[in-house]
Amino acid sequence: MPDASALDELEREREHLESARAALARMREQTLSLKVQAHDPISAEHLARTLHLRAASLEDDPSTTLFFGRVDTDGSQSDQGPESWHIGRRHVADEHGDPMVIDWRAQMSTAFYRASRTDPMGVVLRRRFGLDHGRITAYEDEHLQDVREHEVRSQILAEEIERPRVGPMRDIVATIQPEQDEIVRAGADRTICVQGAPGTGKTAVGLHRAAWLLYAFRDKLARSGVLVIGPNRAFLEHIGAVLPALGEVAVGHTTIEELVASVPVRGTDPTETAVLKGDARLAEVLRRAVWSAVGTATEPLVVPRGVRKWRVPAYEVTEIVEELRARGVRYDAARQMLPQRLAHTVLLKMEAAGDSPDDRVQDSVARSAVVKKYVNAIWPALDAKAVLFDVLSDAEALARHADGLLSEDEQRVLLWDKPARTKGSARWSHADTVLLDELADHISRTPSLGHVVLDEAQDLSPMQLRAVGRRCSTGAATVLGDIAQGTTPWATDSWESSLEHLGKPGSHVEVLDRGFRVPASVIEYAARLLPHMAQGLGAPVSVRDNPGRLDLVPVSGDVAARVAEVVATESAEPGSVGVIAPDASVGVVSKALQDNGIEHGVLGQDHGDIDHQVDIVPASVAKGLEFDRVVVVEPAEIAAAEPDARTGLRRLYVVLTRAVSALTVVHAQPLPAELTD
């Protein structure tokens, strides 16, 4: 039973929490009370938006606490002497401006995550709080400089990691580990690639790095923007609450398909064609197609001015055109320079004849109908859809642009079997939208964001990676993934290669292999697949005391009915339940649950885990998701649905590693041999 002094200390911490909540409410009220005063409508709108976002970031969530930890220092790391700081999700100050809670992203919070007995970083005491629905229930102290106290694993930390959840992914600010914190606080100019096994928290690390960057480099990134790119909409809905919970409400979330969407997708490509369209060689094919539109001057430019005509010989025009082509700028940028360059040449001829023209004359010549018509003939305006239409529908054009890059067989694979008569009738595929995005960038530069977080990056083709890289060409990126979980036909086997296609060669690759989310019994079972699909990758190591639960349930009768029985049992306990089934069986499993009165969502068809304890998850969209308990239906069928054996095993590896506490495998078909070895 806790002693009286411990109970008194617990009560003091609870009082501090209530005071901090009142202070946060006052901060928000002050923000809402501010009046927008500006000299012009644009400034007023910008200021109003800034105040709105500030107020949104100060909203209190009563289901969580404002702080989760505390550090007491000995004063050796500062000039202020010994200090005590509560660490939380955002900064909270009292009415005098003194901090009551320190933002977890502040420099002084680093010691909470990284201090150890070997390097206490000036910390005398680290305190973690046990929490339940926004209330402090307990605390746990580590005396890092007390040599008499032995290091023990934090029970509060373990309980927080394993705490059941229903709904979207939560933040991990209370449980960030030292190796994760190193990644989170990497500088804004550094691109970091995280190779993370299932359960190592790589997605959470990427999101928390975005939050830290927005805190540490607010002015820069608020202007240039931060974007999170995930594999599908179900995944984005799953992670969508993390950054708002950390006070960051202005971060974009998208999929790679949405990122490059410029035309309706009405067509599909055979796997061989899609793989080829994702090949990096297509970038050069398309570059040639764009620049081949620049013609050769065969006639002089003749510009009438008053009673005189000024003549620029064809050879001089050719020299100007070649110089612009060699400048390394985009097609349209060079095209826009050409009228001024031609007008300047006319200006020089006027001066040589004794005239004294000024810049207004040059601008007038550049805008004249004669010069515009001449430029359009030599350097025509381009439309990305028209260029790609010609490449995919005209064998001679493709052969010309692909000479030395693609074989004749590869060119035949690319060409449409039944060419559309016009670009308006073309049935563009998802792979085509990536090519259109590449073409658009060759024509006119794609604006760059300040930072991009790219999750499940192992599944992107070289051309998709180039599309993402264009969005962070002047910024950095956080690249997250696991080569063992690559399930596309073009999935990478090398992060170095992926980073090169992204435009970030030589970036640091960090390996996370300590599993905090997936229990040992589950990860060891799934790791049986690794030698057969990802040689050279080590199995992740679960660091949790609780080994979790693994049940294999063979069925001789109705599999869906047995799944419903298992789900009924699993859903009787708190926490989320994910039923991962072959895509083709989702409807049958859903009907079985419905017939048994089990409320559930279906990811990909509705908002799933936001509204339901139980979700049915098609195997193809399971990547990146996690549930307290997972029921996997027919592993052999899940693997067989993929185009080849290796991809099938990788898909199965993804599916088997979504459980935080327990995994149940229900099957009538024999399990894959790789799992029974």
Side-chain angles (χ1 to χ4, degrees):
M1 187 173 189
D3 59 32
S5 62
L7 291 174
D8 289 344
E9 182 67 9
L10 181 61
E11 190 57 36
R12 281 192 290 272
E13 294 290 10
R14 287 171 174 168
E15 290 174 357
H16 186 76
L17 174 59
E18 291 308 310
S19 297
R21 286 199 189 282
L24 181 66
R26 187 187 64 256
M27 291 168 63
R28 188 166 190 272
E29 288 171 4
Q30 289 176 343
T31 300
L32 292 172
S33 68
L34 295 175
K35 303 299 183 183
V36 175
Q37 295 181 348
H39 297 295
D40 59 85
I42 295 178
S43 298
E45 183 179 348
H46 174 73
L47 182 56
R49 174 172 169 75
T50 301
L51 291 175
H52 170 74
L53 293 176
R54 169 68 174 163
S57 71
L58 293 173
E59 288 184 359
D60 188 12
D61 181 355
S63 66
T64 65
T65 57
L66 290 180
F67 56 81
F68 46 80
R70 189 182 111 185
V71 289
D72 295 355
T73 69
D74 59 12
S76 62
Q77 305 292 311
S78 72
D79 300 329
Q80 305 300 318
E83 296 172 303
S84 179
W85 304 107
H86 285 78
I87 312 299
R89 287 173 172 78
R90 67 204 67 193
H91 179 84
V92 181
D94 64 17
E95 57 188 359
H96 305 294
D98 296 325
M100 301 185 71
V101 180
I102 299 297
D103 195 301
W104 68 275
R105 297 169 288 187
Q107 180 62 35
M108 62 186 67
S109 300
T110 306
F112 177 78
Y113 297 109
R114 299 191 195 177
S116 64
R117 293 185 179 279
T118 56
D119 182 14
M121 300 175 68
V123 175
V124 177
L125 176 143
R126 173 166 52 205
R127 174 170 291 175
R128 299 183 190 275
F129 295 103
L131 312 168
D132 183 37
H133 294 88
R135 179 174 170 79
I136 298 175
T137 58
Y139 69 87
E140 183 181 78
D141 288 345
E142 295 176 83
H143 299 275
L144 298 182
Q145 298 184 27
D146 188 343
V147 295
R148 297 169 300 175
E149 188 174 296
H150 297 291
E151 185 170 0
V152 295
R153 183 169 293 183
S154 168
Q155 186 63 32
I156 285 179
L157 187 65
E159 289 175 355
E160 172 62 21
I161 290 174
E162 299 176 25
R163 178 161 57 95
R165 82 287 322 280
V166 173
M169 180 181 180
R170 300 191 304 253
D171 65 67
I172 62 166
V173 288
T175 61
I176 293 174
Q177 299 299 295
E179 66 269 31
Q180 296 174 328
D181 192 61
E182 294 273 0
I183 300 170
V184 167
R185 297 175 193 265
D189 59 341
R190 293 186 63 196
T191 290
I192 304 290
C193 176
V194 181
Q195 160 61 40
T200 55
K202 59 182 178 294
T203 296
V205 166
L207 295 174
H208 287 66
R209 186 185 182 205
W212 181 82
L213 288 170
L214 283 163
Y215 174 88
F217 304 93
R218 175 75 62 189
D219 291 342
K220 174 185 176 182
L221 293 183
R223 290 192 306 269
S224 54
V226 175
L227 181 67
V228 176
I229 303 174
N232 52 58
R233 265 290 138 194
F235 173 84
L236 294 178
E237 289 168 0
H238 181 64
I239 68 168
V242 173
L243 287 169
L246 299 175
E248 301 301 341
V249 295
V251 176
H253 292 69
T254 190
T255 66
I256 185 65
E257 290 80 13
E258 293 168 352
L259 183 72
V260 299
S262 60
V263 293
V265 173
R266 298 183 297 162
T268 56
D269 287 317
T271 299
E272 182 184 17
T273 306
V275 170
L276 184 56
K277 287 181 177 178
D279 193 302
R281 291 175 294 169
L282 268 293
E284 176 59 19
V285 172
L286 299 179
R287 189 197 68 80
R288 292 179 182 180
V290 167
W291 287 93
S292 69
V294 180
T296 302
T298 57
E299 299 290 336
L301 168 64
V302 180
V303 180
R305 291 287 296 180
V307 297
R308 300 195 61 177
K309 292 183 179 180
W310 302 96
R311 184 175 180 274
V312 182
Y315 76 88
E316 287 190 35
V317 175
T318 299
E319 290 174 356
I320 293 171
V321 168
E322 291 305 314
E323 189 270 330
L324 289 175
R325 288 180 61 122
R327 292 191 64 170
V329 298
R330 297 301 196 271
Y331 179 94
D332 263 357
R335 181 176 181 273
Q336 291 167 15
M337 295 177 192
L338 182 55
Q340 286 289 341
R341 292 298 305 275
L342 293 174
H344 183 67
T345 302
V346 172
L347 200 73
L348 294 178
K349 294 183 181 298
M350 291 179 178
E351 290 175 346
D355 290 350
S356 301
D358 56 19
D359 290 344
R360 289 174 298 177
V361 173
Q362 179 173 321
D363 289 341
S364 175
V365 172
R367 292 195 302 267
S368 67
V370 171
V371 171
K372 286 182 177 179
K373 181 178 179 181
Y374 192 85
V375 167
N376 286 336
I378 297 177
W379 206 305
L382 290 185
D383 171 69
K385 295 187 289 294
V387 175
L388 187 58
F389 178 84
D390 289 341
V391 169
L392 298 180
S393 62
D394 187 333
E396 291 185 4
L398 176 58
R400 188 167 62 253
H401 304 319
D403 184 38
L405 293 170
L406 304 178
S407 68
E408 292 183 1
D409 287 342
E410 288 174 321
Q411 292 175 36
R412 279 192 288 272
V413 168
L414 280 182
L415 282 170
W416 284 329
D417 290 335
K418 297 179 180 179
R421 285 173 290 183
T422 67
K423 68 179 181 184
S425 63
R427 296 178 63 83
W428 304 110
S429 67
H430 280 299
D432 292 332
T433 63
V434 182
L435 300 183
L436 288 169
D437 192 74
E438 178 80 26
L439 279 167
D441 186 67
H442 283 303
I443 295 170
S444 182
R445 184 181 295 277
T446 303
S448 176
L449 297 163
H451 195 85
V452 169
V453 178
L454 174 62
D455 208 346
E456 303 299 346
Q458 76 281 346
D459 277 339
L460 269 60
S461 71
M463 292 298 286
Q464 289 173 324
L465 288 167
R466 287 176 60 88
V468 175
R470 287 191 281 277
R471 272 72 182 184
C472 56
S473 58
T474 60
T478 303
V479 182
L480 313 167
D482 179 11
I483 288 176
Q485 296 185 59
T487 53
T488 58
W490 44 79
T492 188
D493 288 321
S494 164
W495 285 125
E496 288 71 20
S497 174
S498 292
L499 289 167
E500 188 169 341
H501 294 309
L502 192 69
K504 308 293 183 183
S507 296
H508 176 66
V509 178
E510 184 74 26
V511 177
L512 296 180
D513 56 8
R514 292 206 305 155
F516 304 99
R517 306 297 301 155
V518 185
S521 61
V522 173
I523 200 64
E524 288 169 7
Y525 182 67
R528 296 180 183 185
L529 301 172
L530 285 174
H532 306 280
M533 64 178 202
Q535 294 182 358
L537 279 184
V541 178
S542 177
V543 297
R544 289 167 47 180
D545 293 329
N546 183 351
R549 172 168 55 83
L550 171 67
D551 295 324
L552 305 181
V553 182
V555 178
S556 58
D558 187 341
V559 173
R562 186 70 179 96
V563 168
E565 294 174 10
V566 171
V567 172
T569 301
E570 297 290 357
S571 59
E573 298 293 328
S576 58
V577 179
V579 183
I580 307 180
D583 287 30
S585 302
V586 165
V588 174
V589 173
S590 179
K591 185 176 185 306
L593 296 190
Q594 186 176 353
D595 291 345
N596 283 269
I598 300 174
E599 243 187 79
H600 62 279
V602 180
L603 292 188
Q605 297 181 14
D606 54 27
H607 291 292
D609 64 358
I610 292 176
D611 302 311
H612 304 92
Q613 179 190 16
V614 177
D615 281 310
I616 298 178
V617 186
S620 62
V621 300
K623 190 168 293 181
L625 306 179
E626 62 178 28
F627 303 88
D628 289 297
R629 295 175 297 283
V630 169
V631 180
V632 172
V633 183
E634 292 293 12
E637 188 177 338
I638 290 173
E642 300 298 326
D644 58 75
R646 188 181 76 155
T647 305
L649 293 180
R650 288 186 169 188
R651 178 72 70 189
L652 186 54
Y653 180 74
V654 170
V655 165
L656 293 173
T657 53
R658 301 303 97 199
V660 175
S661 300
L663 171 66
T664 303
V665 179
V666 181
H667 65 101
Q669 300 179 26
L671 293 172
E674 294 82 0
L675 282 177
T676 58
D677 287 345

